[in-house]
Amino acid sequence: MSSDDLTTVARFTYRHDAEYARGFLEDAGIPSQMLVDDAAGHIAFSNTAALVVRSEDAEAARKVLVDAEVELGD
């Protein structure tokens, strides 16, 4: 995935929440990446993890996450 083609579909306070949500996208066949700023899981500030997908997959990814009742964050 080129960084030019990426869209953030959800933000999370904790890395494990992003990993959980990413599993739903993986099951749906939507490639994704996590962008994490949490000092290897030791420090959690506001919205430390972002889940990104290709721009062309953003709408489908949001639908998968909403259907799975995942909070998308701000």
Side-chain angles (χ1 to χ4, degrees), residues 5-12 33 35 49-55 58 62 72 74:
D5 288 340
L6 299 179
T7 299
T8 299
V9 292
R11 295 186 184 277
F12 303 91
Q33 293 180 350
L35 303 178
L51 196 55
V52 297
V53 299
R54 294 180 302 204
S55 295
R62 286 186 185 104
L72 302 182
D74 293 330

Side-chain angles (χ1 to χ4, degrees), residues 10-72:
R11 295 186 184 277
F12 303 91
T13 301
Y14 300 104
R15 175 189 200 112
H16 64 270
D17 290 332
E19 291 169 346
Y20 174 75
R22 188 175 186 199
F24 289 108
L25 297 181
E26 184 177 301
D27 288 347
I30 300 173
S32 64
Q33 293 180 350
M34 288 186 347
L35 303 178
V36 181
D37 182 15
D38 69 352
H42 298 289
I43 300 173
F45 297 105
S46 176
N47 295 325
T48 59
L51 196 55
V52 297
V53 299
R54 294 180 302 204
S55 295
E56 63 204 48
D57 293 332
E59 186 176 335
R62 286 186 185 104
K63 181 174 182 353
V64 166
L65 295 175
V66 168
D67 288 350
E69 299 182 1
V70 172
E71 294 289 328
L72 302 182

